[in-house]
Structure formats: structure tokens, C-alpha cells
Amino acid sequence: MELFIVILYATIQACIPLLLAGLGELVCEKSGVLNLGIEGMMLMGAVTAFVVAVESDSLFLGFVMAIFAGTLMSACFAFLTLVLRANQVASGLALSIFGVGLSAFIGLEYVGKPLQGLENFFISYLSEIPLIGRVLFQHDIIVYLSFGLFFAVHRFLYHSRLGLVVRATGENHDAAHMMGYSVIKIRVLAVLFGGMMAGLAGAYLTLVYTPLWSENMTAGRGWIALALVVFAAWRPFRLLVGALLFGFVSITQLFLQSNQGFLSAVPTELFTSLPYLTTIVVLVVISVAQRRKNLSVPSNLGQVFEPR
Amino acid sequence: MAFCGLFWAGQATADPLKVAFVYISPIGDAGWTYQHELGRKAIEREFGDKIETKYIENVAEGPDSERVIRKLASSGYDLIFGTSFGYMNPMLKVAKRFPKVVFEHATGYKTAKNMGNFSPRFYQGRYLSGVAAASKSKKNVIGYLAAFPIPEVIRGINAFTLGAQSINPKIKVKVVWTNSWFDPGKEAEAASSLIAQGADVVTHHTDSVAAVKTANDKGVYAIGYHSNMFKHGEKAQIGAVIHKWDKFYAKKIRQVLDGTWKSSSAWEGINEGMVDFVVTSNLDEKIASKIKDLRSDIVSGNFHPFTGPIHNQKGSKVIGAGEQLDDKDLLSMDYFVKGVEGKVGK
């Protein structure tokens, strides 16, 4: 039982960077823009957060500047794809590669520097509930914020007028344009939101999860977040489930390895590859045209909007 | 004309020996590359203006490294050290093209007429660190996070376990594979999972300081690796298994300078000064002196960490009492000894 609580607790922390980056990308893709640059934006957020926190001694400032750095990266992407109408896939990949290189360059002097990470914040009363309190209410403040953001995004997309407009833009940009909405403006804002969230996700890694900087520190989490959006079939709730599931699998396999149970016969590499396998399956399913509607893929995802 | 001028200039002054180092990662302030950089600085001090050194950091294995090594060889470097396993084949290719340049490659297994290789006997330090770790463990469980199941890593785990069991036969060493040399996030997760499973001492065979840091945060002990990671875990770190390169580099430079260099495969340990175990916390006096004695016995050759009786995980005998594993057995080690919990990932 004790072990199970520890696993669940670790699962929640492991899912946070994926959830944050995934939510940002979800809103971005709902508006019809495919941004493959999450990894790059996360890395820029991560390095900025660390450098600022070390230099200013303020974790808060680190988070703020990380969000700013992520937004700045996504602004480059928005300018290229939405204003200059460049190809989204190519621009997104370029953004990722750019972020990997630039963050390594910026962080060169900071590799291995020590930093005191964010303390946990126990919610009084709630954290004393047996079991649930231990699993849910003894985290750092960013964990609570992430779940707050999850509900906010869900509410925004499905229970607000602006959210409806965002979704409409992704479904049919010509129709949204006819209705008098500025497709480009909406998409730019959605892309910027994606950048903010990716920046925050990166900051979580360097300021909370493992408070240190090293090159390529996200280790592919940006790509996993991207895969999770597909895995979730563009629905926030499934995204949360997917992020938790991925966190759970990646944590549990560490526990299984050194135990002699029946599951330890499964190679660890298989567990590590599970989310990617699922994503491939989902991609195959949605490529069957009829199913596209059921899975709620934004119809105009990745398409360049040219006002007529 | 210009070419002649250069040629004469080269002949007139006593040319310093040009030595280059190729590093896999940024230098930082702890870790594999950092230790090599310490070695480079030491030889610079030792040889003064007799040599001229240069390093190139953060060179990816594969085609990138071939380009970098070729550039160094063609721009007049006489001796080139490559410090990562994956530089082996690129270096070999370049070595064939530049027969007058001397190449030295770390941790590989291929050599050529003008390319030698070198590797540390980490297991000696691991054995000593096992003794120290076992003396601090109250729950008799030690966590070991490791990158990949290759002989070098397995050898370290086994030596560590044998060392730990030499003072406490009840010790269990739980192994978790991270399947990556460098992923601080995953290393922290793995360390946490080991601690949650009862490990009160943690050590690692991965490249970041995350394990020591996590141990420090969770209030358990840790053994650092590569560098002394004391400042990342002041409460946690008992000691660290470290590698030092100054003596080896100096030896090779001297050989090249006086023309006696020959291609060889060096596998050096505490004796030659390539590996060591530094103690950074207060150990019980008896343990501290035991480690000191063991260390000098290893240096003098009176003690070999892989001395029988050794049993494998399933309990069957590998070697009997008094027997020793030879280098060939060690280099191809692919099993865990008794007391290790985990699988050699096959």
C-alpha cells in the first residue's frame, strides 16, 4: 500500500510537464495550427528559467521569464506560418531544432550548477486526509496550478463563446472568416498560448522536477506531449488521462524492474515505448477518413489559411 | 614563396607538441568530461611550453566527431585524445589517413598502428564504495541506477555488491536501468523509486548529478560517480568513485615527446592513478581503516575485488574460494552476482 501511494504521488509529478505542454498544444491544434516545435519551446523555457533563477535567486522570476521565452519562440513560429504562410510542419521542426541548439548555447555556463528547487506546499486539512491527501495535496504549487489550468482550458474550449470561435477556426477557417472572425488573430493567440504553456512545462523540469540544467534536458518530453494530443483525440479530459497514464507507466516500470513479480518478465523497453505505439495506432485509425469526424480531428489542422 | 616561409618558420623554432582533446559533452562542473578537462589542465601545468593543448567540447559521436578529428589531424595536431566510446570508428578511419599523428581512444576496443586505447578499472573503486555504502545502510537495501547493461556497468554493479557483502552478507543491491546515459529527470525518478522501495543508500552509473541530489533531498545516503559530487549532496554523499587522467595523459605525452610511443591497450586502475574512491563523510573508524587497507592491497596487487567464492544470481558457483576472475572474464561479464536484485536486461 505504502509503495502504491509513492507510485501514485510520483505519477502525478511525472505527468505535469506533459500535461502543461499538451494543453498548450491542444488549444493550438484546436485552432487549426500544428506546432511541432514543443520540444524546442520547452527547452528554451527550461534554460531561461534556470539561468534567471540562478542569477536572480528568485524562482518566481524564473517561471515568469520561462513563460516569456516560450511565448517568444512561439511568436517566431506564428510569424512564419501565419503571417508569411510558411509550411507548418517544416517550421515546427525547425523551431524544435533551433530550440535544442540555442538552449544548449545559452546554458553552457550553467551545466551542473546547483539550485534549490521549489518547496512542496501542503494544503492544510486536505493534506492530512489519509491516502488521498498523501497522493493529491502534498505537491508543489505548480502541480495545483496545472490542474487549475486543465479545468480552465476545458471550460474555455467547451463552455465559452471564444472557445467555440477557436474550435470553429480549426474546423473550417473559411466559414469562420465569413462570419467575420479574424482567423489569423485567433490562431496567433492560440499559438502564443501554446508557447506559454511549453515554456512553463520546461521551467517545471529545471526548477522543480530536477533542479539543474543540462543540455537536452527535456529528453523528448515535448514529442511525447505532442503524441499525447493525438492519443487524446484532441479532448482535454483524455489528454489528462493520457498524461497520467504515461506518467504511471514510466514510474511503474522503474518499480517493477527490481521486483520479482510476473510483470518483471516484460522488457522495460516495451513499457517505455507504449505511448508511442498507442500514438501510431491512433494515427492509423484517424487516417481512415470516416473515422476522422468521430475522433474530432480539427478539419483544417495544418492547413494554410488564405483569405479570399 | 609563402609556403617556403611557413616551412622555415616551422623548422627554426622548437615546436611545442600539439595535443588535442575531443569531449562528448560540455565541460560543466562535474562528470565524465569535467574529469578529462582536469587532466588536460594538469598536463598543461606539468609540461608548460613544451606542449600546446586544445579541446573541443560537445562533439556528437558519429559523423560529427569524424569531421572534428579529421580537422584536428590535418591542422597539425600530433596527439589526439578522443574521450567517448562512439569516437572509436571515426577515429580509426582518420587514423588510417594520418599515419604520422598519434591517436588515443577512451573505453573502446579497437586499435591501429597509430591508435591506442585506454580504459579505467572502475570496479576497483566500486568495490571500495560498496564497503562504505554497506556500513551506512540500516535497512540492508542499496539502490543502484544504471544506464545500459554492458559489461563495464555490470562489472561495476557486481564489484559494488561484493564489496558491500564483504562486511554485511545480508545486503541486497536493487538495480534499475534508465536506458539512457543522461536524462536527469529519469535518473531522479529512478532514484526516488529505489528510495521508496527501502534503499537507504543510492549510487549510480549515469552521467548527471540527479541521483545524489535526489538522495540528498530525501534524506538518504549516496555514492557519487565520475566526480566528487559533494556540493550537490552535502548531507547525502558518503564518497565518490572518481577517475583521473593526468598521469595517463602525462605518460602518453612523454612517450610521444621522446619517440617511444607504441600502440597499446591500457586498462588502468587505482595503482596507476586512473581510478579512485574518495571518502567525503565521517565513516566508522573500523570501516575507514578497512577501506584504506583494501585500497593499498589493491594497489600492491595483494587483493583482487573479484576473488572467489563468487556465486551468480541464481546461486550457482562462478568460481570457488581463492580463485580470481581474469581480465577476459571481466571484460565479457554478463551476469549479476548473488545479492543483486534486478535483471541483466536481455
Side-chain angles (χ1 to χ4, degrees):
Chain A
M1 197 65 217
E2 180 62 28
L3 208 59
F4 194 59
I5 292 176
V6 174
I7 292 178
L8 287 183
Y9 181 84
T11 297
I12 288 180
Q13 296 217 314
C15 92
I16 294 301
L18 303 175
L19 178 65
L20 285 171
L23 279 174
E25 180 67 12
L26 180 74
V27 171
C28 183
E29 290 191 15
K30 275 284 185 196
S31 81
V33 184
L34 180 68
N35 185 353
L36 296 180
I38 311 183
E39 182 85 356
M41 298 190 294
M42 270 177 85
L43 275 168
M44 282 303 290
V47 73
T48 310
F50 192 79
V51 169
V52 170
V54 166
E55 293 301 334
S56 71
D57 234 356
S58 156
L59 292 179
F60 178 73
L61 203 62
F63 278 113
V64 172
M65 293 314 285
I67 291 170
F68 181 70
T71 317
L72 204 65
M73 289 286 281
S74 62
C76 298
F77 177 81
F79 179 73
L80 286 174
T81 57
L82 297 172
V83 180
L84 302 180
R85 293 176 203 163
N87 180 296
Q88 291 178 5
V89 173
S91 311
L93 287 174
L95 193 69
S96 264
I97 299 166
F98 175 62
V100 172
L102 187 62
S103 63
F105 175 68
I106 294 173
L108 211 57
E109 298 289 311
Y110 293 86
V111 176
K113 282 225 167 122
L115 174 80
Q116 186 59 46
L118 193 63
E119 299 281 326
N120 282 354
F121 180 78
F122 289 26
I123 296 181
S124 48
Y125 303 119
L126 287 178
S127 65
E128 284 151 30
I129 306 172
L131 223 159
I132 300 172
R134 291 259 326 262
V135 174
L136 290 180
F137 300 111
Q138 298 190 357
H139 291 278
D140 53 86
I141 201 137
I142 303 297
V143 173
Y144 311 128
L145 179 73
S146 305
F147 284 97
L149 280 167
F150 163 73
F151 288 113
V153 166
H154 185 269
R155 197 163 169 80
F156 169 77
L157 279 177
Y158 294 100
H159 301 281
S160 82
R161 191 180 163 76
L162 197 58
L164 186 67
V165 175
V166 168
R167 286 190 290 143
T169 315
E171 288 302 332
N172 189 336
H173 48 216
D174 291 321
H177 181 61
M178 295 298 188
M179 296 279 290
Y181 294 111
S182 167
V183 173
I184 298 297
K185 204 167 98 189
I186 288 162
R187 286 189 172 166
V188 166
L189 288 174
V191 170
L192 292 183
F193 179 73
M196 275 172 61
M197 296 292 273
L200 183 61
Y204 185 78
L205 284 175
T206 46
L207 298 187
V208 188
Y209 204 55
T210 34
L212 53 91
W213 164 254
S214 48
E215 197 180 312
N216 226 336
M217 135 127 220
T218 49
R221 286 183 181 78
W223 298 107
I224 296 170
L226 194 73
L228 278 174
V229 175
V230 179
F231 170 81
W234 293 269
R235 289 192 176 95
F237 187 69
R238 289 191 200 170
L239 180 74
L240 175 66
V241 173
L244 282 169
L245 196 66
F246 182 76
F248 184 72
V249 168
S250 63
I251 295 292
T252 314
Q253 62 104 349
L254 295 173
F255 279 87
L256 288 177
Q257 278 191 39
S258 48
N259 282 311
Q260 317 290 342
F262 72 101
L263 270 174
S264 69
V266 184
T268 59
E269 290 84 354
L270 189 68
F271 283 115
T272 327
S273 59
L274 265 184
Y276 307 99
L277 285 176
T278 335
T279 304
I280 292 171
V281 172
V282 172
L283 281 172
V284 169
V285 171
I286 61 173
S287 63
V288 181
Q290 288 168 317
R291 299 273 177 87
R292 259 180 100 92
K293 243 186 198 156
N294 303 340
L295 278 160
S296 72
V297 190
S299 314
N300 280 352
L301 181 62
Q303 290 174 15
V304 175
F305 171 66
E306 311 216 19
R308 265 166 281 179
Chain B
M1 275 299 279
F3 177 76
C4 283
L6 277 176
F7 183 72
W8 283 110
Q11 292 286 302
T13 54
D15 259 350
L17 183 77
K18 291 177 83 180
V19 186
F21 295 83
V22 186
Y23 299 151
I24 180 77
S25 57
I27 291 164
D29 73 344
W32 176 257
T33 295
Y34 178 72
Q35 295 301 113
H36 285 281
E37 174 66 5
L38 291 182
R40 185 189 70 84
K41 283 189 179 147
I43 54 148
E44 239 181 9
R45 278 194 302 273
E46 186 176 339
F47 289 92
D49 54 8
K50 272 194 264 175
I51 58 166
E52 183 189 314
T53 70
K54 177 194 178 89
Y55 67 84
I56 300 185
E57 59 181 344
N58 208 7
V59 178
E61 296 178 337
D64 261 4
S65 64
E66 188 181 330
R67 196 170 40 76
V68 168
I69 296 166
R70 188 183 299 274
K71 182 91 203 307
L72 288 168
S74 65
S75 53
Y77 281 87
D78 309 294
L79 172 58
I80 300 172
F81 290 98
T83 65
S84 190
F85 177 80
Y87 297 161
M88 182 169 66
N89 290 329
M91 202 167 215
L92 199 64
K93 258 195 216 166
V94 182
K96 286 192 177 134
R97 290 281 303 276
F98 294 87
K100 291 209 174 119
V101 179
V102 174
F103 296 86
E104 283 282 351
H105 175 245
T107 69
Y109 53 87
K110 289 184 185 167
T111 54
K113 226 175 152 190
N114 59 332
M115 174 172 150
N117 65 21
F118 58 102
S119 204
R121 292 181 187 266
F122 283 125
Y123 65 87
Q124 297 178 341
R126 288 289 188 192
Y127 186 92
L128 299 178
S129 72
V131 174
S135 76
K136 288 279 191 183
S137 175
K138 289 204 180 71
K139 297 185 190 161
N140 296 339
V141 181
I142 298 176
Y144 200 128
L145 50 138
F148 294 103
I150 58 172
E152 184 197 333
V153 177
I154 293 169
R155 206 158 54 229
I157 294 170
N158 286 341
F160 181 85
T161 309
L162 292 174
Q165 294 193 332
S166 73
I167 64 160
N168 180 358
K170 277 189 240 144
I171 290 277
K172 295 261 176 283
V173 176
K174 276 183 187 282
V175 175
V176 164
W177 300 107
T178 59
N179 294 322
S180 140
W181 286 115
F182 188 86
D183 181 346
K186 203 167 185 184
E187 287 168 43
E189 283 167 5
S192 303
S193 82
L194 285 165
I195 293 163
Q197 290 173 80
D200 52 3
V201 183
V202 174
T203 186
H204 63 114
H205 196 138
T206 49
D207 285 352
S208 90
V209 298
V212 174
K213 214 175 160 99
T214 307
N216 202 53
D217 291 345
K218 307 238 167 185
V220 302
Y221 291 110
I223 305 272
Y225 177 58
H226 291 311
S227 305
N228 187 346
M229 296 176 166
F230 184 69
K231 73 175 163 196
H232 296 280
E234 298 191 355
K235 285 176 292 174
Q237 191 184 278
I238 305 169
V241 177
I242 59 166
H243 39 95
K244 294 188 292 191
W245 308 94
D246 44 343
K247 292 207 178 109
F248 177 79
Y249 286 162
K251 185 166 73 188
K252 289 293 152 183
I253 287 169
R254 233 171 276 127
Q255 287 174 357
V256 172
L257 279 173
D258 54 25
T260 56
W261 186 90
K262 270 210 303 261
S263 169
S264 64
S265 291
W267 199 20
E268 303 191 343
I270 296 179
N271 193 12
E272 295 89 346
M274 199 183 267
V275 177
D276 214 339
F277 174 60
V278 289
V279 176
T280 55
S281 80
N282 291 324
L283 285 180
D284 183 72
E285 217 167 281
K286 255 166 63 190
I287 297 296
S289 71
K290 185 180 163 85
I291 290 175
K292 224 170 135 194
D293 293 347
L294 277 171
R295 190 184 177 283
S296 46
D297 283 348
I298 290 174
V299 169
S300 66
N302 287 338
F303 176 69
H304 191 290
F306 286 99
T307 302
I310 295 176
H311 294 86
N312 71 12
Q313 237 177 344
K314 289 194 187 99
S316 45
K317 193 169 84 178
V318 180
I319 48 171
E323 290 178 80
Q324 283 175 8
L325 292 177
D326 62 18
D327 281 2
K328 210 173 121 257
D329 299 331
L330 293 181
L331 285 170
S332 60
M333 192 168 260
D334 61 354
Y335 57 88
F336 280 147
V337 298
K338 206 175 152 205
V340 179
E341 286 186 356
K343 291 175 301 163
V344 178
K346 267 193 301 192

